[in-house]
Amino acid sequence: MGLTDDRERFREVGEQRREDLSEFISHGDLGRSGPDQVKIPVKIVDLPEFEYDQREAGGVGQGQGGQPQPGQPVDPDPDGDGDEEGDPGEEGGEHEYYEMDPEEFARELDEELGLDLEPKGKRVVEEVEGDFTDTARAGPRGTLDVDEFFKRGLKRYLATDFDEAYVREGLFVAGTDVDDVFAWARDRGVPVSRAWIADAAATLAEERGEPVEALDRWESFEALDDEVDREPVSHRIRREGLDSVPFRREDERFRHPEVIEKRERNVVVVNVRDASGSMRETKRELVERVFTPMDWYLTGKYDAAEFRYVVHDAEAWEVDREEFFGIQSGGGTRISSAYELVEEILEEYPYSEWNRYVFAAGDSENSGSDTTDSVIPLMESIDANLHAYVETQPGGAAPNARHADEVEEALGDADDVAVARVSDPDDVTDAIYEILSTEADRDDAAVGEAASGRADGGDRR
């Protein structure tokens, strides 16, 4: 097998693994995996590899002393103990599952779904020196930025130089004095000083033997401008070059290393699930299929990820991960009780230091006007990178399942709220994409606003 064939097979393995990943999320046994290790069943396992001949033979020839005789056939099994047919092994090979950590899972899911979520770091944990890209007005002589020094001096030269012949010609306008020429030059944006004009007038008077007011050549400044063109400084430099640039001490700039802030990308995820009596087994399974991959994904994306788990019926209480994914159903429904508890939990994680996600799921059934009266105001008041609600209704929404619709109607235009609907396992990856892409799109919009100067400095809507 050639190198090209090997690469093609590796590429096929990668593509198949991503297909297996999507299939695994929708229909696989999530229970085989843990919070820090994901086990994905794979179909292609015959990765290209080298195999070494274990036979103790002196080369390919099998003649006496290891030296083949002409015409002697090669015996592929000289010791007579080659493989024989037998029963297949009963032990499962390690290749039946591909194991990945959450970081690799996040990369694969990005590739599979086309996501582009860039985690945000909030709290500065370290400042390190980068490249010498910053400049300051002071520093060691060895770090003087010569290019910047020259540019600043040249910029001053271009700003202060002027066409001397043109200004001197103003002294030949009938009846004008030094003050008249100075006013005329400044009106035309010529950076000349009155002292220079006075010196030029004195020189002309000495050369001509008469006062400057008597040097008539032009009837007026307008007549002069009609006949004489002022030469731009850049044209004169191209023609004559530069003898010197007037550098000054204030032009000096010294290179300093850029200070790079390394920020700890902390995230807290509060997962909320409905445990009321209407949440039957199929609905519970859909909740788990959405939440479990998102937990892995955010664990892989952030340096430090913490997860808190809230379940509710008419009341809400906090549980651990194992209980959250195995909870049974019973009782009435009041979704606002969960958000009241979420608000208390997030007081431990200041929004200025933590990225905060609130993910809730259930069958969209809620008591009375609880959604509009209580849940939506709570969602608006709880600062979070993203609020998401996943409706799990096998076969489609029930007539009394209004929660997702009401949230969408009230907050659908907010860039930090996502609503997804899952009616069967095949909808799971679409729901995950809907939720996570909302956060990615929000990051892109924030970058665009910052680049255009329209950002207002706040993270909330």
Side-chain angles (χ1 to χ4, degrees), residues 192-265:
V192 62
S193 67
R194 187 186 182 285
W196 187 93
I197 297 175
D199 288 344
T203 301
L204 285 173
E206 183 179 348
E207 291 176 352
R208 301 297 179 96
E210 54 184 330
V212 66
E213 291 82 359
L215 301 176
D216 296 347
R217 180 179 298 174
W218 310 102
E219 294 180 358
S220 64
F221 288 117
E222 289 75 13
L224 184 158
D225 286 332
D226 289 341
E227 296 295 331
V228 178
D229 292 328
R230 183 171 46 162
E231 183 179 30
V233 177
S234 58
H235 291 183
R236 190 163 59 260
I237 291 175
R238 291 192 187 98
R239 187 182 70 250
E240 300 175 1
L242 280 175
D243 293 330
S244 63
V245 175
F247 296 117
R248 296 182 184 178
R249 177 62 62 86
E250 56 263 33
D251 294 333
E252 294 180 344
R253 292 295 183 274
F254 297 87
R255 290 179 288 109
H256 285 267
E258 176 188 6
V259 176
I260 301 174
E261 292 182 343
K262 288 193 172 181
R263 294 176 174 267
E264 188 172 21
R265 301 179 300 181

Side-chain angles (χ1 to χ4, degrees), residues 370-392:
D370 183 56
T371 298
T372 55
D373 291 348
S374 300
V375 176
I376 290 172
L378 282 165
M379 291 176 69
E380 291 179 313
S381 67
I382 297 173
D383 285 325
N385 295 59
L386 183 62
H387 284 277
Y389 184 79
V390 181
E391 178 186 281
T392 57

Side-chain angles (χ1 to χ4, degrees), residues 2 4 28 36 52-53 68 77 83 148 237 249 270 299 337 350 352-355 370 373 406 436 446 450:
T4 302
D36 299 318
Y52 293 92
D53 192 342
D77 190 10
D83 294 338
E148 185 66 20
I237 291 175
R249 177 62 62 86
V270 185
T299 299
S337 64
S352 59
E353 298 180 9
W354 288 80
N355 297 281
D370 183 56
D373 291 348
E406 290 172 347
L436 297 178

Side-chain angles (χ1 to χ4, degrees), residues 74 204 298 301 316 320:
V74 176
L204 285 173
L298 292 172
K301 281 287 185 177
D320 59 23

Side-chain angles (χ1 to χ4, degrees), residues 187-363:
D187 284 344
R188 283 153 180 77
V190 179
V192 62
S193 67
R194 187 186 182 285
W196 187 93
I197 297 175
D199 288 344
T203 301
L204 285 173
E206 183 179 348
E207 291 176 352
R208 301 297 179 96
E210 54 184 330
V212 66
E213 291 82 359
L215 301 176
D216 296 347
R217 180 179 298 174
W218 310 102
E219 294 180 358
S220 64
F221 288 117
E222 289 75 13
L224 184 158
D225 286 332
D226 289 341
E227 296 295 331
V228 178
D229 292 328
R230 183 171 46 162
E231 183 179 30
V233 177
S234 58
H235 291 183
R236 190 163 59 260
I237 291 175
R238 291 192 187 98
R239 187 182 70 250
E240 300 175 1
L242 280 175
D243 293 330
S244 63
V245 175
F247 296 117
R248 296 182 184 178
R249 177 62 62 86
E250 56 263 33
D251 294 333
E252 294 180 344
R253 292 295 183 274
F254 297 87
R255 290 179 288 109
H256 285 267
E258 176 188 6
V259 176
I260 301 174
E261 292 182 343
K262 288 193 172 181
R263 294 176 174 267
E264 188 172 21
R265 301 179 300 181
N266 293 331
V267 64
V268 56
V269 183
V270 185
N271 287 327
V272 178
R273 69 178 299 173
D274 185 351
S276 63
S278 62
M279 290 293 294
R280 303 304 182 189
E281 182 178 357
T282 304
K283 296 179 182 179
R284 296 198 303 269
E285 180 185 351
L286 294 176
V287 171
E288 293 164 11
R289 286 201 176 278
V290 175
F291 277 172
T292 304
M294 288 201 300
D295 278 11
W296 291 330
Y297 181 83
L298 292 172
T299 299
K301 281 287 185 177
Y302 283 91
D303 299 333
E306 291 196 22
F307 294 88
R308 305 288 289 268
Y309 300 96
V310 172
V311 296
H312 73 89
D313 45 30
E315 300 297 329
W317 63 99
E318 188 171 4
V319 298
D320 59 23
R321 185 180 190 276
E322 183 177 357
E323 186 177 356
F324 181 84
F325 287 111
I327 197 80
Q328 298 300 309
S329 302
T333 308
R334 188 171 67 89
I335 299 176
S336 61
S337 64
Y339 282 89
E340 290 166 358
L341 181 54
V342 168
E343 192 171 38
E344 293 179 16
I345 291 172
L346 290 181
E347 290 178 359
E348 303 175 27
Y349 305 89
Y351 190 51
S352 59
E353 298 180 9
W354 288 80
N355 297 281
R356 310 199 303 191
Y357 294 85
V358 180
F359 296 151
D363 58 9

Side-chain angles (χ1 to χ4, degrees), residues 56-78:
E56 295 181 0
V60 296
Q62 304 301 322
Q64 297 294 327
Q67 184 64 33
Q69 301 301 315
Q72 180 179 353
V74 176
D75 183 356
D77 190 10

